[in-house]
Amino acid sequence: MENQGISWQYDEFKQIGTDYSSKTEVDKYDSSHADFRDIKAESIKVLDLLEVTKEHTLIDFGSGTGTFAIEAALRCARVHAVDVSREMIDCAATKAMKAGVTNLHFHHAGFLTYRHQVAPVDAVVTTFAFHHLPDFWKGIALKRVNAVLKPSGKFYIHDVIIEENQALKNIAALIQKLGKAGGKLMREDAERHFKDEYSTYDWVMDGLLARAGFTIRVKRIEDGVLGTYICTRN
Ligand SMILES: C[S@@+](CC[C@H](N)C(=O)[O-])C[C@H]1O[C@@H](n2cnc3c(N)ncnc32)[C@H](O)[C@@H]1O
């Protein structure tokens, strides 16, 4: 890849916002997120949408505690789970072992550093991880995602992606909603997201995706702040 060997590359292993290299954060991740999402049900819905079958291979970037990657592995031929946090990978690998999953391969790497050394995949999925990269590096990352997909391969992204209209009002409403669901800690977590992390506008994402060689097939921005895109590689 063209970004290999650049000494000034963004350090994606450096933790920003929530520290996912901390065992405490990792240990509480699934239970705190259960206050406002059902990750297993979400995972099944995404796999249904992507029409994933036993013939398919898939990469999950920012795999976290592994709920999606494990569900995907139960449906796919092979899954690669990529994450910059060693703690997250250890947690996910333990869960995968308990679930008896053997076709799930873990990689301590990220969007900018993962080297895909086998055949191109049918689908790439990433949920709530892309906002860790600043916009310039998002562009580089999307070109790398594009390059590991088969022609017409599918890319699913779900993250905080913001519509310009009423942006501040919608963000405040989201923080309030999360605080209501998960208490003070979740509220602080949500505030930290907007203070320290790199969520971007939907119009920026539209352009980055198109320039990286994707066609946007589905785009939905819930409450002006939660974005989902399903794209295909051109
Ligand atoms: C909020 S968690 C999301 C986990 C999971 N995808 C989910 O939806 O629950 C973000 C994850 O992305 C990982 N991450 C952060 N920056 C990354 C990068 N540049 N490349 C890959 N993973 C990254 C973090 O270590 C963390 O595990």
Side-chain angles (χ1 to χ4, degrees):
M1 287 301 301
E2 59 177 1
N3 71 313
Q4 269 166 20
I6 295 176
S7 61
W8 43 268
Q9 175 158 290
Y10 181 73
D11 179 7
E12 61 180 348
F13 291 87
K14 179 184 67 189
Q15 295 291 320
I16 55 154
T18 306
D19 180 5
Y20 292 118
S21 68
S22 139
K23 187 161 168 19
T24 318
E25 284 298 337
V26 172
D27 285 347
K28 73 172 195 209
Y29 187 85
D30 282 346
S31 59
S32 64
H33 276 238
D35 287 335
F36 65 98
R37 55 194 285 235
D38 179 343
I39 307 182
K40 187 166 172 174
E42 270 175 28
S43 306
I44 290 168
K45 202 166 140 196
V46 173
L47 291 162
D48 286 347
L49 273 173
L50 297 178
E51 299 173 321
V52 165
T53 70
K54 277 280 176 218
E55 281 83 58
H56 292 141
T57 53
L58 181 150
I59 302 174
D60 179 14
F61 279 101
S63 44
T65 55
T67 308
F68 175 80
I70 292 167
E71 282 305 315
L74 295 170
R75 290 229 203 159
C76 288
R78 180 189 279 235
V79 173
H80 299 275
V82 181
D83 204 292
V84 294
S85 157
R86 174 67 70 194
E87 282 295 339
M88 279 294 199
I89 287 187
D90 290 348
C91 168
T94 305
K95 273 165 77 174
M97 205 172 65
K98 282 186 189 152
V101 166
T102 54
N103 56 343
L104 174 53
H105 303 267
F106 290 96
H107 306 267
H108 184 218
F111 292 103
L112 301 173
T113 47
Y114 172 64
R115 290 184 188 204
H116 190 64
Q117 284 167 331
V118 288
V121 295
D122 298 281
V124 171
V125 169
T126 186
T127 58
F128 293 119
F130 206 50
H131 65 266
H132 286 91
L133 293 179
D135 281 0
F136 172 77
W137 295 105
K138 284 189 178 81
I140 304 292
L142 288 174
K143 288 183 184 150
R144 298 187 94 246
V145 167
N146 193 270
V148 298
L149 278 167
K150 289 179 184 170
S152 300
K154 294 173 184 170
F155 177 47
Y156 175 97
I157 176 164
H158 179 68
D159 210 323
V160 178
I161 297 169
I162 305 156
E163 278 176 349
E164 192 157 4
N165 185 30
Q166 311 263 36
L168 293 174
K169 190 169 157 248
N170 289 333
I171 291 169
L174 177 72
I175 292 171
Q176 198 181 16
K177 186 173 158 188
L178 291 173
K180 240 183 179 169
K184 185 171 172 276
L185 285 181
M186 185 53 71
R187 185 191 168 87
E188 284 169 3
D189 206 41
E191 287 188 349
R192 197 163 43 239
H193 180 103
F194 292 98
K195 271 193 212 161
D196 299 341
E197 303 178 17
Y198 303 112
S199 284
T200 197
Y201 285 120
D202 68 323
W203 56 263
V204 174
M205 275 303 293
D206 293 356
L208 290 173
L209 285 163
R211 283 170 168 78
F214 288 103
T215 299
I216 298 170
R217 304 285 174 190
V218 175
K219 171 182 171 184
R220 200 175 59 244
I221 310 286
E222 213 181 302
D223 300 329
V225 279
L226 280 179
T228 304
Y229 289 79
I230 302 177
C231 310
T232 47
R233 181 189 163 160
N234 294 341

